[in-house]
Amino acid sequence: MNIVLLGAPGAGKGTQAAKLVEEFGTAHISTGDMLRAAVKAGTDLGKQAKKYMDAGDLVPDDVIIGLVLDRLQEPDADNGFILDGFPRTTAQAVALDAELGKVQRPLDAALLIDVQPEVIVKRLTSRRMCKECGYIGSVADEKCPKCGGEMYQRDDDNEETVRNRLDVYQKSTAPLIDYYRGSELLVTIDGDRDPNVVYADVKKALGL
Ligand code: AP5
Ligand code: MG
């Protein structure tokens, strides 16, 4: 499967990707996770990206496009990939199409996980993640239920930044919904239901 997960911040892209990875072992390419790893490691990329991420703004296209196109060449992506958080602008979608066309690995689907903004603000301000394994949980998880690791709150999960991320999504990323509808790849899934119910629809949409 070669798929793109679309959806607002907090729609559940990472949650659904984790389920697909667990069941099918597909390569999960999350630009947000890659950038957070770069920030943690203190690389040049991380230093450059941090100010955009902390404000909830997009990291410039040229930086992100290069990062993803390199990542797609790693061997684990040969058997399929789940792009999570990329593309986020029309320029990114066009660059992705050009690259996938060149290597003859077309997308199978663009899944839009649809959730209303007010639900998202609540979800993101109460989200907590595991420092050790990246498990996505909530403030109710004192320790990671998967590995027992320490849970933390992402720097961009405060209400002010979340609202900016939602504005940025509407302005820059929502237009991609029409972009993928035009190429008949778009499947919209109601993301405001139990995560396992959402996952059943994700699999149905992918014919799995
Ligand atoms: P990124 O890390 O991609 O963040 P995002 O798009 O804002 O999305 P999130 O990771 O916040 O949400 P999600 O949809 O994965 O939801 P999750 O499953 O965690 O990007 C961060 C930043 O990096 C950007 O702001 C930007 O600066 C930069 N960046 C990244 N990619 C870029 C790009 N391509 N171009 C430019 N800049 C880029 O779930 C959220 C919460 O809800 C969790 O607590 C979870 O447990 C809960 N939840 C999930 N599903 C359900 C459900 N069905 N019901 C109830 N709760 C649920
Ligand atoms: Mg995510």
Side-chain angles (χ1 to χ4, degrees):
M1 77 178 91
N2 297 338
I3 65 168
V4 161
L5 290 179
L6 290 175
K13 303 179 296 293
T15 300
Q16 295 302 319
K19 290 179 183 296
L20 286 168
V21 170
E22 195 172 330
E23 188 168 352
F24 301 102
T26 316
H28 177 203
I29 304 179
S30 158
T31 41
D33 288 348
M34 290 163 83
L35 292 170
R36 279 183 290 280
V39 170
K40 197 170 165 193
T43 63
D44 285 347
L45 168 66
K47 283 179 195 143
Q48 206 185 335
K50 187 169 167 36
K51 60 178 184 292
Y52 296 101
M53 298 173 77
D54 284 351
D57 291 329
L58 295 182
V59 174
D61 282 338
D62 55 340
V63 175
I64 291 288
I65 290 170
L67 188 71
V68 173
L69 298 192
D70 284 352
R71 176 67 183 85
L72 280 169
Q73 284 176 22
E74 287 179 30
D76 66 330
D78 281 350
N79 298 324
F81 53 81
I82 303 162
L83 283 167
D84 162 1
F86 181 95
R88 249 176 158 97
T89 63
T90 305
Q92 293 179 16
V94 169
L96 177 66
D97 275 355
E99 175 66 16
L100 296 180
K102 212 161 61 186
V103 296
Q104 297 184 330
R105 289 159 72 195
L107 287 176
D108 300 310
L111 304 186
L112 169 65
I113 306 177
D114 192 28
V115 179
Q116 292 307 304
E118 283 317 310
V119 175
I120 279 170
V121 173
K122 269 198 210 124
R123 274 190 193 182
L124 287 186
T125 50
S126 58
R127 173 170 58 188
R128 300 293 183 272
M129 316 253 312
C130 176
K131 269 188 179 168
E132 305 301 321
C133 73
Y135 172 81
I136 304 168
S138 79
V139 70
D141 300 307
E142 272 180 29
K143 291 263 169 211
C144 174
K146 272 203 138 169
C147 76
E150 193 186 329
M151 302 294 281
Y152 78 101
Q153 183 172 34
R154 265 170 53 173
D155 290 342
D156 57 351
D157 277 350
N158 61 79
E159 183 164 346
E160 188 189 347
T161 309
V162 168
R163 291 201 184 273
N164 187 47
R165 286 159 62 196
L166 286 168
D167 287 347
V168 169
Y169 174 78
Q170 277 310 327
K171 217 177 322 153
S172 304
T173 309
L176 293 182
I177 296 169
D178 282 336
Y179 180 91
Y180 285 113
R181 190 177 281 125
S183 55
E184 296 185 3
L185 290 170
L186 187 78
V187 182
T188 302
I189 293 170
D190 175 3
D192 194 7
R193 297 172 296 160
D194 180 274
N196 291 323
V197 176
V198 176
Y199 184 54
D201 274 2
V202 165
K203 286 208 290 184
K204 199 152 76 180
L206 298 172
L208 298 169

